[in-house]
């Protein structure tokens, strides 16, 4: 039993090397290859060998949709060994059409897919019973959409009738035909791209006029890119200037508030400057005012029309009118006495 286990290829457990190619001879597995049903395979594989699953296709422009289909096939059963058949260029060009990648490129793409254990080159277009027995295939994995080709409505019809077909699901939105459609739709863009990267017009099968047109368009695009770059730099510069201006205005406002506050504190109604002025004014008034002058002396009465004349020696003293005849006679006698004294 140990010898049989070692002679049967096992699924890859490490990913440090690409998948192997199927040998030209029949399968090297010498373990008893009894027929399995899907139910038995899902319950657990035989102890002496894995379940051998076969998936075939063109795999042109290998993409995620291909990888997801192979991932589903690999995980259909607990211990699956996935063999992937790739059709040659001759068969593909005959039954389906021209491919972008060569058969060798497609073989290598499949060898480096992590879900593939073995790659079968030059796979047949239609699977025969002899082919299935030669490679000891238990099940065939493919999407369940009828595949009409080579004069048949469904090339997997006899596989489905034999109970050896296990379906996988297609990935929507991605296929080789979709990728080619994108390239054809944007042909001018990709032609200009490759011309810019150094490919010649002859390699791209581009006419002389189209080559000049594409090169002119590339120059225009480069000019647009330069203008766009300058615009972006200008926007960045303007943004920085605006940001700095905003900062300067904010600082100016803060300084202005501080200046106005200091000014009001110094020159306002109750400011320091007014108090200083009042103190100095009081000191000056005290300095210029006479110290010995009485504060309660009566003011002199001067006539506004003429200046006061000096007192005359003949001036008569002012007396109040006599209030009685006796007083009047006394006044006259006093005046006469005065005149006699002067003589």
């Amino acid at each position: 039993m140990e010898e049989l286990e070692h002679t049967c290829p096992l699924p890859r457990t490490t990913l440090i090397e690409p998948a192997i190619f199927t040998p030209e001879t029949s399968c090297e597995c010498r373990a008893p290859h009894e027929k399995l049903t899907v139910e038995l395979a899902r319950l657990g594989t035989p102890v002496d060998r894995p379940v051998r699953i076969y998936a075939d296709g063109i795999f042109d422009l290998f993409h995620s949709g291909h990888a997801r289909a192979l991932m589903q096939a690999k995980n259909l059963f607990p211990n699956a060994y996935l063999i992937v058949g790739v059709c040659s260029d001759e068969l593909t060009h005959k039954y389906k059409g021209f491919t972008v990648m060569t058969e060798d490129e497609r073989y290598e793409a499949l060898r480096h897919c992590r879900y593939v254990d073995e790659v079968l080159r030059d796979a047949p277009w239609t699977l025969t019973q002899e082919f299935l027995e030669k490679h000891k295939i238990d099940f065939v994995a493919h999407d369940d959409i009828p595949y009409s080709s080579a004069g048949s409505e469904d090339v997997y019809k006899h596989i489905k009738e034999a109970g050896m077909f296990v379906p996988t699901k297609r990935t929507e939105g991605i296929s080789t035909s979709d990728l080619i459609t994108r390239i054809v739709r944007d042909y001018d863009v990709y032609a200009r791209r490759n011309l810019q990267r150094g490919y010649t017009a002859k390699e791209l099968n581009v006419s002389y006029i189209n080559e000049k047109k594409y090169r002119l368009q590339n120059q225009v695009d480069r000019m647009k890119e330069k203008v766009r770059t300058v615009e972006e730099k200008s926007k960045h510069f303007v943004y920085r200037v605006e940001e700095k201006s905003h900062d300067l205005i904010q600082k100016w406002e803060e300084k202005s508030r501080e200046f106005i506050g200091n000014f009001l504190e110094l020159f306002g109604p109750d400011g320091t400057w007014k108090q200083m002025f009042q103190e100095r004014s009081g000191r000056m008034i005290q300095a210029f005012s006479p110290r010995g002058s009485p504060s309660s002396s009566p003011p002199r009465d001067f006539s506004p029309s003429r200046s006061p004349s000096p007192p005359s020696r003949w001036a008569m003293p002012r007396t109040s009118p006599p209030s009685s005849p006796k007083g009047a006679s006394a006044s006259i006698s006093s005046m006469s006495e005065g005149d006699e004294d002067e003589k």
Side-chain angles (χ1 to χ4, degrees), residues 209-224:
I209 296 176
N210 285 336
E211 178 189 5
K212 297 302 178 184
K213 182 183 72 173
Y214 294 150
R215 293 192 183 280
L216 177 61
Q217 289 175 343
N218 286 336
Q219 292 178 359
V220 172
D221 288 345
R222 284 194 295 268
M223 185 62 66
K224 289 181 179 179

Side-chain angles (χ1 to χ4, degrees), residues 63-183:
H63 51 75
S64 61
H66 294 141
R68 289 176 65 86
L70 297 177
M71 177 185 69
Q72 295 175 55
K74 177 70 174 177
N75 290 280
L76 285 170
F77 306 109
N79 187 24
Y81 186 85
L82 182 59
I83 306 167
V84 179
V86 183
C87 299
S88 64
D89 287 345
E90 182 180 359
L91 280 179
T92 305
H93 298 168
K94 178 179 179 181
Y95 291 110
K96 191 169 184 178
F98 193 74
T99 58
V100 178
M101 301 171 66
T102 64
E103 59 184 42
D104 291 330
E105 292 170 341
R106 292 184 282 118
Y107 297 155
E108 287 299 320
L110 267 299
R111 288 188 68 198
H112 291 83
C113 178
R114 63 184 299 180
Y115 311 111
V116 178
D117 295 301
E118 185 175 315
V119 175
L120 191 147
R121 294 170 289 189
D122 194 12
W125 196 262
T126 302
L127 303 179
T128 61
Q129 188 63 33
E130 292 78 15
F131 175 84
L132 298 174
E133 292 176 357
K134 175 182 177 181
H135 296 283
K136 292 184 170 56
I137 295 171
D138 294 306
F139 301 101
V140 177
H142 199 273
D143 62 81
D144 55 359
I145 300 175
Y147 193 87
S148 59
S149 180
S152 174
E153 294 181 357
D154 187 4
V155 295
Y156 298 104
K157 182 179 180 180
H158 62 291
I159 304 295
K160 294 175 181 178
E161 292 173 350
M164 298 177 64
F165 186 85
V166 284
T168 59
K169 294 182 179 180
R170 296 176 64 90
T171 302
E172 297 296 332
I174 183 69
S175 68
T176 302
S177 299
D178 290 340
L179 296 177
I180 295 175
T181 300
R182 297 180 199 174
I183 296 173

Side-chain angles (χ1 to χ4, degrees), residues 291-303:
R291 297 182 180 179
S293 60
S295 59
S296 61
S297 60
R300 296 181 180 179
D301 187 13
F302 296 103
S303 175

Side-chain angles (χ1 to χ4, degrees), residues 232-249:
E232 291 295 330
K233 291 182 178 179
S234 300
K235 289 180 181 178
H236 181 66
F237 176 75
V238 171
Y239 173 76
R240 291 185 60 187
V241 170
E242 290 179 351
E243 188 177 7
K244 288 185 176 292
S245 300
H246 180 72
D247 294 340
L248 289 174
I249 291 172

Side-chain angles (χ1 to χ4, degrees), residues 316-328:
M316 296 292 291
R318 294 183 180 182
T319 58
S320 58
S323 59
S324 63
K326 290 182 179 181

Side-chain angles (χ1 to χ4, degrees), residues 256-269 271-273:
S256 299
R257 295 190 189 98
E258 183 179 355
F259 176 78
I260 293 171
N262 294 335
F263 182 84
L264 292 175
E265 184 179 355
L266 187 62
F267 298 102
T272 306
W273 181 258

